[in-house]
Amino acid sequence: MKKTYFLFFVLVMIAAAALGAEKNRPGHIYDYSIFDVKHFGAVGDGIANDAPAIQRAIDTASYYGGGTIWLPIGNFRLAAPLIPKSNIIIKGAGLGAVLMATTYITSAIGQPTSDLINFTVEDLTIEGGVIEEGIFPRRHRNYTPSFTSAIAMNGSRRPGGAYPRISNIVVKNCKILKVRGLPVFFQGVSDKVTVKDSYFENCLDPGFTWCESVMFISNVVKKGADNGVSVSRECKKAVISNNIFEDNAHWGIWCSGFVDPVSESSEPGPDAFTITGNVIRRSGMGGIALVNGPRYGTITGNTIDTVFNGATDRQSKVQGRGIMISAFAPGGVITKEAQQIVISNNLLRNIARGGISLSGASDILISGNSFIDIGATDTIATKVNFNCGIYTDDYGIVGAGLNRIGVVGNSFVDTRNTPFSNYAYSYAIKMSTNSYQKNNTMIGFRQPLGEKLTVGGDEDPDQSIAINARSGVLRELLFQTAGLRRWDIRVNNVPESGSQTGSDFAIIRRNDPGTVAGYPLIITRADGSVRFVEASGKLGFFGQTPVSKYAAIPNTAGLSLANVEQEVNKLKELLRTYGLLNP
């Protein structure tokens, strides 16, 4: 009996070792949790309808509690959408594993028929039927029959229908090409939906609405017929980070609500979002849209490089903004402001119309951004809503519907031989309620910066302003009108060589063209002497009207007493005129 048990044990061990060797053989799929679609009848030749076979694999894996649906290299044609199931991973062999269609169907992977949790698509190519590219960024497309979306689902958070609960959806390392609709379209997903490390080209925009949490990370979106990505209609939390968006017809990133005047289906923008580390290049309409009342967000460390006046087939002078912020106002009535948004350390360059536009917003901090070569659509140097770094279209309204707009520590530069940039920030931004501007710099813009300077507050200790420089250079305070000097307060550029020499104080007045008109006052540092320098100058004290100096007789020697008395009386009258002698 013992010998029989021992022999059985040896045979089991040999079989296990052989099975382990087979499972670990390179390139071989042998796992009870992996379901190869070819074992269920899929062909992968681009001709046969492989949808039933792939669906059998999904249903079988679901029956056993979940697993990985394996698609080897091949073109798997679908004549109907695949129905996803919980705890399933649809995994391809990389770029060579392709889902495609040659008839019109709604999507490659479609609507679940029951609650769906923990569903993933990875390492798969999904290719649609768009055939025309044209000159990008471009809106119009031509296409052959295929699916409208690559992946499309509606969950229970979406209003207006009895949808299943969908949660924890992941799309990663996929390539989605030539899809005439939204390549991925997730609506009403609970918990989290994640799209990462994927590539989209020549589609509409990856889209998310009514989702509880959206993660769109490290993707590349090129040549889109709409936006680079859309997170819209009351998505509650969103992270859009480290993506590349190039040549998209509308916006690089749409993190906004939606107002439809036709169907009256209107929803405000997301609450709680982070948009960071993205590169947005050559967008048709704009870089980042924060419109229709999004709140509580940070826009940090993004590069928005080149925005046009619309797509190549939809040109409009009003388009071409780097970042746009606005309230949710269906029917023209504001019901939700854009609020509490920080825009910091971004680069905006070559933006056709303007850098950042604001309306219906409060508690917006714009800090540490670089605005380079803003505006190229209007040659009028006084425009306040074109060719400006920060502006509002509501410039005709006092305050422009804005409150507590901080513009701090930004850099505004126009490097072009013929500048087009007008104002760093427009007058309406300066005048908006409780707003403030501080420590901004500007080079090359056509209008002066005009920034207020406030030092200290009511409860602060002693304050000072220092103008420091090396010996032998001017130190000046300049007072201008429309960019032309009117008065200077100056310390001169005489080198300091000991004995209190140099750095004498002067007040300078200037002519209308800005040229020097005269030096009304000079104070010498060496001995404190005060000089009224101008021969034509007038003088008055204690509120008297200033008068020119009196031309006294050279000498009173030899004059009669009457003549001397007359001269003394004239001097007394002059002192009264100056205000230095009482009547």
Side-chain angles (χ1 to χ4, degrees):
M1 180 68 70
K2 291 182 179 179
K3 186 179 294 184
T4 302
Y5 277 126
F6 177 79
L7 180 60
F8 177 76
F9 177 77
V10 170
L11 290 173
V12 169
M13 294 299 292
I14 292 172
L19 180 59
E22 181 70 8
K23 286 178 66 177
N24 293 310
R25 183 178 300 168
H28 191 79
I29 301 300
Y30 192 95
D31 191 316
Y32 292 118
S33 66
I34 296 178
F35 300 82
D36 190 327
V37 297
K38 288 201 170 182
H39 294 167
F40 292 84
V43 179
D45 62 356
I47 300 173
N49 175 19
D50 288 322
I54 298 173
Q55 191 64 54
R56 281 194 296 272
I58 293 171
D59 294 343
T60 303
S62 177
Y63 177 82
Y64 287 104
T68 299
I69 310 304
W70 172 252
L71 277 75
I73 292 175
N75 293 319
F76 297 91
R77 187 178 76 84
L78 305 178
L82 302 175
I83 307 303
K85 301 291 179 70
S86 294
N87 303 313
I88 295 292
I89 299 172
I90 297 180
K91 183 177 178 63
L95 300 180
V98 181
L99 293 181
M100 42 86 70
T102 56
T103 56
Y104 289 113
I105 59 176
T106 56
S107 57
I109 300 171
Q111 179 68 14
T113 55
S114 59
D115 289 353
L116 180 68
I117 184 172
N118 299 334
F119 178 77
T120 298
V121 181
E122 64 177 278
D123 297 324
L124 188 64
T125 299
I126 305 177
E127 186 168 345
V130 173
I131 58 174
E132 181 181 337
E133 291 193 347
I135 301 173
F136 291 96
R138 182 178 177 84
R139 174 69 175 175
H140 178 71
R141 299 291 193 275
N142 291 322
Y143 48 85
T144 58
S146 185
F147 33 74
T148 302
S149 293
I151 306 170
M153 300 179 186
N154 293 288
S156 57
R157 291 179 60 87
R158 180 183 177 180
Y163 302 108
R165 189 178 193 277
I166 300 174
S167 63
N168 297 331
I169 307 300
V170 178
V171 177
K172 63 180 181 179
N173 296 320
C174 289
K175 190 170 186 178
I176 301 180
L177 311 172
K178 303 178 182 178
V179 176
R180 67 188 180 95
L182 278 68
V184 295
F185 194 15
F186 295 105
Q187 303 190 82
V189 175
S190 301
D191 296 330
K192 183 169 65 176
V193 54
T194 301
V195 177
K196 64 179 183 178
D197 301 321
S198 295
Y199 181 90
F200 301 84
E201 183 173 333
N202 216 353
C203 308
L204 281 182
D205 42 339
F208 307 84
T209 60
W210 295 289
C211 292
E212 186 174 359
S213 178
V214 175
M215 308 283 285
F216 194 81
I217 301 172
S218 299
N219 303 287
V220 176
V221 185
K222 292 186 175 183
K223 302 178 181 177
D226 205 283
N227 305 309
V229 64
S230 294
V231 179
S232 183
R233 300 196 188 201
E234 290 201 346
C235 287
K236 289 302 177 187
K237 300 179 289 291
V239 175
I240 305 171
S241 68
N242 300 323
N243 303 285
I244 297 174
F245 303 97
E246 289 188 342
D247 296 304
N248 295 295
H250 288 175
W251 294 83
I253 297 172
W254 177 271
C255 184
S256 305
F258 188 79
V259 175
D260 187 346
V262 177
S263 66
E264 297 183 354
S265 173
S266 300
E267 300 285 349
D271 285 350
F273 54 89
T274 295
I275 300 173
T276 181
N278 301 283
V279 176
I280 302 169
R281 301 182 68 225
R282 298 186 300 272
S283 291
M285 290 173 60
I288 300 174
L290 306 172
V291 303
N292 298 318
R295 303 182 298 185
Y296 323 138
T298 58
I299 315 299
T300 305
N302 303 283
T303 296
I304 303 174
D305 184 355
T306 307
V307 176
F308 303 106
N309 289 128
T312 56
D313 56 342
R314 288 192 175 186
Q315 289 284 292
S316 171
K317 179 180 172 180
V318 302
Q319 305 299 344
R321 311 169 198 246
I323 299 173
M324 182 178 179
I325 300 176
S326 71
F328 180 60
V333 178
I334 294 178
T335 60
K336 180 185 176 186
E337 279 190 324
Q339 292 180 349
Q340 299 181 34
I341 299 171
V342 176
I343 302 173
S344 65
N345 300 309
N346 302 285
L347 171 63
L348 297 87
R349 65 181 299 270
N350 295 334
I351 311 298
R353 177 178 175 179
I356 298 176
S357 70
L358 302 163
S359 64
S362 63
D363 298 298
I364 311 296
L365 175 61
I366 303 171
S367 173
N369 303 283
S370 294
F371 298 80
I372 300 176
D373 295 342
I374 300 299
T377 61
D378 202 307
T379 60
I380 300 174
T382 55
K383 282 278 190 178
V384 294
N385 63 333
F386 280 83
N387 299 15
C388 295
I390 305 169
Y391 67 98
T392 177
D393 280 325
D394 298 329
Y395 59 91
I397 303 171
V398 176
L402 304 174
N403 192 17
R404 296 184 297 275
I405 308 299
V407 182
V408 180
N410 301 282
S411 173
F412 301 88
V413 180
D414 195 322
T415 68
R416 295 167 288 196
N417 291 332
T418 302
F420 279 93
S421 302
N422 289 348
Y423 296 91
Y425 39 86
S426 66
Y427 180 75
I429 300 296
K430 295 181 188 180
M431 297 303 296
S432 58
T433 306
N434 296 318
S435 297
Y436 55 96
Q437 304 85 39
K438 187 176 182 181
N439 297 337
N440 299 285
T441 58
M442 183 188 73
I443 299 173
F445 275 52
R446 296 191 285 188
Q447 300 294 340
L449 185 61
E451 187 164 290
K452 295 179 180 178
L453 175 63
T454 302
V455 178
D458 292 344
E459 303 300 325
D460 289 347
D462 295 344
Q463 303 291 316
S464 64
I465 298 174
I467 302 177
N468 186 32
R470 60 182 173 81
S471 176
V473 297
L474 295 174
R475 281 141 289 173
E476 296 181 300
L477 289 176
L478 310 179
F479 300 87
Q480 300 177 328
T481 299
L484 295 173
R485 291 192 189 187
R486 290 294 176 258
W487 290 93
D488 302 355
I489 297 176
R490 171 186 295 183
V491 171
N492 69 14
N493 59 354
V494 175
E496 298 169 0
S497 56
S499 301
Q500 286 69 255
T501 300
S503 294
D504 294 340
F505 180 86
I507 295 177
I508 302 170
R509 65 185 183 92
R510 292 182 175 268
N511 298 310
D512 286 346
T515 56
V516 173
Y519 289 72
L521 177 67
I522 294 177
I523 303 176
T524 303
R525 190 172 69 92
D527 58 9
S529 62
V530 178
R531 289 177 289 161
F532 298 98
V533 179
E534 298 186 54
S536 60
K538 297 180 179 182
L539 192 62
F541 297 93
F542 304 110
Q544 294 296 108
T545 301
V547 296
S548 300
K549 66 182 179 180
Y550 170 65
I553 60 175
N555 196 332
T556 59
L559 293 180
S560 66
L561 181 60
N563 287 336
V564 173
E565 185 179 354
Q566 183 182 23
E567 188 67 18
V568 170
N569 287 334
K570 288 182 180 178
L571 290 174
K572 289 168 66 178
E573 183 60 31
L574 181 62
L575 291 174
R576 291 189 185 96
T577 303
Y578 285 150
L580 295 175
L581 188 66
N582 288 328

